[in-house]
Amino acid sequence: MTAGVLMAVEEPGGKVVEVVAGAGGPEMLLRRRDVDGSHLRAPLSGMLTASTGRPWRIEPAFGDSVRVRSAGGTVVVTAGLGPLSARLELAFAPGGLLTLTTTWRNHADQEVTDVAAGLLLPLPTTDAHVTMPGVLYNGNPSSDPRKKVPREGFVGEEHRLPVPAVNAAWDGRYVSLFAHPTATRLDDGTVAYGSLGVVRSPGLTVAAMTGVIAFDGRPDVCYVSKAEVADRPVGYRDLAPGETITTRHTLDWGPVEPRGLGFTKLVRTVLAHKELYHDRGARPLPRDEIVRLKTNAMDARWAGDGYLASDGSRPGKPRSYLYGWTGQCMKLARCDAELGLDRDEPERVGRARRAADFYVEGSTTPVRGLRHGRYLLDDGTWEMFRKDGAEFASSRAHGETIADLAELALRFRDAGLEVPPEWQEAVEDAAALFWHTRLPEGVVPLGWTPEGTPITRLVSAAGAACVQAMLGAYRLSGEKVWLLRAEEMLGRYHRLHAATFERPFAHATLDASGEDKEAGMYYFLAAFELYRLTGREEYARWAETAADWLLTFVYVWSPEFDEGSTFERRGFKACGWPAVSVQNHHLDVFFPTSELMEFGLMTGKAHYAERAGTILHAMGQGICTEPGDWGFDVPGEQGEGFFQTNWQRKGEANTWNPSWVIALPLYHALRMRKVS
């Protein structure tokens, strides 16, 4: 043991925990034998906090009360915190991760009320890149500053986090703190969990609390809906004399460069250490049954020239075909074609052809390559999307629709069917628009005015889907210029967003304005497609990093739900479901599930394929299997929102069913059936 070290524990992989003497008392030092310097050095008194009364506060342990001893490979820390005492045990688990078990005890002779206790990790910097999966990515720099969205000073319920963890990265190193959520069922049948977040106390500090929350540094404020907060004092505990609260966390640390890739350590640690979270997700329906039910729902949406964007039963929603985003009319055409070709059902192939013809013939605008995104059946008119009261064409929606049109044409060609030249012309015209209207930064704008000019100079990843469309133009025409342009454009997206993740993927969803899963989806898909077409390992690395970022949105555990809720009654499991964005904290089926499986199989990274299987089967929950099931009349229908946290109606699902909720699970189930 080196001079100044009071005690130390280490594990064979090279991690070392030392307790050293400090000016204000003993300090914990985390390091690795293969890296110079410490990853984290913190006073032990500053790692334990407990307050009583409301609102809760960060109140560290009394410095002179901290005692440290070693017990058979475990470091034991005890401290006093007012009427409470705390005991922190640090020991390495067999897999090389450090387990932290913390127990707070009421040692007074009367009840202590409104207790808020926690474990703190004070960081040695005020400028770490912090990731809270699904909630916070480097402070959410692309989120609209006028709207309430989690940023610094956020402490949220564990059930809000797909991976219940916080990662902080700085100066070539990272620290990850994982929670092991344990449900507390209260007398009224509701369920409470601990909480995780980042506070300034006064510096940047990772906080693992016993359930209390904060928003923008304000205690007892809850993020309850899209850009909405409410006062909600939750998580306080009352302790009788001698009563205790015990929590368990896991700590991991090591090198990472650049710092923005710290999130990859969260995902890969979970994948490498199966003991962290044992949940394997729900499998209510076989894959073929998902195909059968979703096909039934798709058939119910066919309306002569396309597929209805919704089932037509919702007041104020006119019957329409919607292309891209929530409509996915062209994706449904691809599904119909795939089923028709596989089953030798010419009627389905004919429907797919009719849907594509109708779009190509009718959606044009005076600007070559620019198209309308919606057709109103009862009015017989085409229209664009609207943003801030003005018409615009979304680059995300236009890009994915053109990419799907290209894929449909290629599928027809592979099957020996005639491909109208107008389809290829539509793809190439759109690809030319995408290239020639780029922003100075080299990426596609968020969208275009009816005159074909960018609606904003805002730089975002919304138009990454347009790279896929350009690759479709290359595969259809064989003209290498489209491949070169796609490579150039994806390189710009990489440099802006994915090289360092200082400004992560954002602005793909049309009803929100911030960091979101769907923006990362299209970058992943384009990088994977470029890898398939070129074989360049660089693109495989880009796709892998993007896949890890996307997986931070996917639940690795399943919270319990309040007694009497739909999820509690039906045994709903969140494990495998993706969350949506830092602004919309619910679950939905929008995810590149089949492509994740293909990527894993192609690159020999089986964990991605395994994860994709969990995701697809988890999404089988909530599908109507008979009239009346989950609130639907048509088997195969499914709600677009599942509420796993107290962001809106915890434990419930909605019955808003845009056609993408049919298209995405069906598309992925069909492709995964073929791949496997």
Side-chain angles (χ1 to χ4, degrees):
M1 189 176 296
T2 58
V5 177
L6 304 178
M7 62 191 65
V9 292
E10 57 184 278
E11 55 87 29
K15 293 193 186 77
V16 181
V17 179
E18 295 176 338
V19 178
V20 299
E27 298 179 355
M28 181 187 74
L29 188 150
L30 306 180
R31 64 179 182 87
R32 294 179 65 99
R33 286 196 300 270
D34 57 349
V35 178
D36 292 335
S38 63
H39 279 69
L40 185 70
R41 180 168 182 158
L44 287 171
S45 60
M47 292 181 59
L48 296 164
T49 179
S51 68
T52 58
R54 305 185 186 190
W56 66 276
R57 305 161 304 284
I58 296 294
E59 292 188 357
F62 301 120
D64 58 1
S65 73
V66 177
R67 300 288 183 269
V68 187
R69 63 184 177 87
S70 179
T74 300
V75 173
V76 180
V77 182
T78 57
L81 300 103
L84 306 180
S85 62
R87 176 187 174 93
L88 170 63
E89 299 180 10
L90 301 95
F92 281 107
L97 301 177
L98 185 69
T99 299
L100 296 84
T101 304
T102 315
T103 301
W104 292 269
R105 177 183 298 274
N106 177 9
H107 61 76
D109 56 5
Q110 67 274 339
E111 182 182 48
V112 179
T113 60
D114 291 336
V115 172
L119 178 69
L120 305 176
L121 290 180
L123 303 178
T125 177
T126 59
D127 186 33
H129 192 299
V130 176
T131 300
M132 291 180 64
V135 172
L136 191 70
Y137 296 90
N138 196 31
N140 297 338
S142 293
S143 290
D144 189 336
R146 300 167 297 179
K147 295 184 178 180
K148 291 182 171 63
V149 176
R151 293 186 177 89
E152 279 188 7
F154 180 82
V155 179
E157 314 86 324
E158 288 170 347
H159 51 72
R160 201 176 287 263
L161 303 178
V163 182
V166 180
N167 174 274
W170 70 97
D171 294 343
R173 58 202 64 199
Y174 75 90
V175 172
S176 297
L177 182 68
F178 296 87
H180 298 273
T182 301
T184 299
R185 194 165 291 277
L186 306 179
D187 293 340
D188 62 359
T190 60
V191 173
Y193 279 96
S195 49
L196 284 172
V198 182
V199 298
R200 289 200 175 273
S201 177
L204 197 60
T205 298
V206 176
M209 304 300 295
T210 51
V212 291
I213 60 175
F215 188 92
D216 276 350
R218 296 165 53 205
D220 302 336
V221 176
C222 185
Y223 188 58
V224 296
S225 189
K226 188 186 304 181
E228 294 181 14
V229 298
D231 293 334
R232 188 170 292 174
V234 300
Y236 291 96
R237 300 285 298 273
D238 298 337
L239 296 182
E243 190 176 1
T244 62
I245 309 172
T246 298
T247 63
R248 187 168 67 91
H249 294 84
T250 291
L251 197 60
D252 181 36
W253 63 94
V256 64
E257 188 64 43
R259 66 177 198 156
L261 269 61
F263 65 85
T264 64
K265 302 300 181 179
L266 287 177
V267 171
R268 295 173 191 178
T269 299
V270 171
L271 291 171
H273 295 270
K274 304 293 187 183
E275 71 276 10
L276 275 175
Y277 305 106
H278 300 285
D279 203 322
R280 294 296 175 261
R283 301 175 71 92
L285 299 172
R287 185 172 52 208
D288 286 349
E289 184 66 0
I290 293 175
V291 169
R292 185 187 72 82
L293 289 166
K294 291 293 181 181
T295 299
N296 183 74
M298 176 180 69
D299 290 346
R301 294 291 176 94
W302 177 252
D305 293 307
Y307 309 85
L308 294 174
S310 59
D311 64 5
S313 63
R314 190 166 291 250
K317 294 288 182 182
R319 296 192 312 148
S320 69
Y321 304 144
L322 188 63
Y323 300 87
W325 191 38
T326 64
Q328 299 297 326
C329 197
M330 200 61 64
K331 186 80 75 182
L332 285 168
R334 288 182 62 187
C335 293
D336 235 352
E338 195 64 42
L339 286 164
L341 292 168
D342 284 351
R343 299 176 178 178
D344 192 21
E345 297 178 0
E347 180 184 351
R348 291 194 180 278
V349 178
R351 290 199 320 199
R353 182 183 295 278
R354 179 59 194 143
D357 281 342
F358 185 79
Y359 174 73
V360 171
E361 292 167 4
S363 65
T364 57
T365 73
V367 178
R368 188 168 183 173
L370 190 67
R371 291 181 174 271
H372 295 97
R374 186 196 306 267
Y375 177 75
L376 301 176
L377 273 74
D378 297 328
D379 295 343
T381 59
W382 288 87
E383 66 176 17
M384 290 185 172
F385 292 105
R386 299 192 73 83
K387 187 175 181 65
D388 298 326
E391 281 193 317
F392 87 111
S394 158
S395 62
R396 175 261 171 93
H398 194 17
E400 63 180 328
T401 299
I402 294 298
D404 280 332
L405 176 62
E407 291 292 343
L408 182 63
L410 289 161
R411 184 68 177 97
F412 273 31
R413 180 187 289 177
D414 290 345
L417 300 177
E418 177 193 358
V419 177
E422 293 82 4
W423 291 12
Q424 180 173 328
E425 183 181 354
V427 172
E428 292 191 74
D429 284 349
L433 173 80
F434 302 156
W435 178 256
H436 291 297
T437 60
R438 290 171 299 153
L439 299 176
E441 293 80 3
V443 297
V444 177
L446 190 70
W448 299 271
T449 68
E451 293 73 37
T453 59
I455 59 167
T456 176
R457 294 292 175 181
L458 175 71
V459 174
S460 75
C466 297
V467 179
Q468 279 184 281
M470 296 170 76
L471 291 172
Y474 165 64
R475 292 168 62 203
L476 280 171
S477 68
E479 295 290 339
K480 194 171 182 179
V481 64
W482 294 119
L483 175 62
L484 296 174
R485 287 176 174 180
E487 289 188 280
E488 165 65 19
M489 190 179 290
L490 192 68
R492 296 298 185 99
Y493 280 113
H494 176 76
R495 289 190 288 276
L496 287 167
H497 300 289
T500 66
F501 278 88
E502 294 299 311
R503 185 166 289 274
F505 307 116
H507 291 287
T509 55
L510 303 188
D511 61 344
S513 54
E515 290 70 14
D516 65 81
K517 161 193 68 182
E518 291 163 43
M521 275 181 53
Y522 296 104
Y523 173 91
F524 164 74
L525 292 171
F528 182 25
E529 183 68 7
L530 276 172
Y531 173 60
R532 279 197 279 212
L533 291 170
T534 68
R536 289 178 55 187
E537 288 298 324
E538 179 181 35
Y539 294 135
R541 290 194 300 271
W542 290 7
E544 182 176 5
T545 303
D548 286 346
W549 190 82
L550 290 169
L551 286 173
T552 66
F553 285 89
V554 178
Y555 269 74
V556 298
W557 68 295
S558 295
E560 295 182 28
F561 296 99
D562 296 346
E563 184 179 325
S565 67
T566 299
F567 287 4
E568 188 266 342
R569 288 187 289 103
R570 303 199 61 151
F572 181 88
K573 300 187 73 173
C575 181
W577 275 90
V580 177
S581 70
V582 303
Q583 192 166 316
N584 295 353
H585 295 181
H586 65 86
L587 309 176
D588 71 17
V589 300
F590 223 119
F591 201 77
T593 315
S594 60
E595 292 89 354
L596 182 67
M597 171 174 278
E598 287 185 351
F599 178 71
L601 295 174
M602 183 176 291
T603 58
K605 299 180 186 299
H607 55 271
Y608 290 125
E610 178 186 341
R611 199 81 187 106
T614 300
I615 293 167
L616 179 74
H617 284 287
M619 292 173 180
Q621 299 172 100
I623 298 176
C624 171
T625 58
E626 59 184 17
D629 192 22
W630 287 95
F632 297 103
D633 295 327
V634 177
E637 290 285 7
Q638 188 176 17
E640 63 89 33
F642 290 77
F643 305 114
Q644 81 290 3
T645 190
N646 52 8
W647 188 92
Q648 298 189 4
R649 300 176 294 124
K650 181 183 174 185
E652 304 295 333
N654 66 15
T655 54
W656 170 228
N657 54 343
S659 59
W660 66 265
V661 188
I662 301 169
L664 271 294
L666 177 56
Y667 165 78
H668 292 302
L670 288 170
R671 296 183 80 246
M672 291 170 76
R673 183 168 66 178
K674 183 169 291 188
V675 169
S676 62

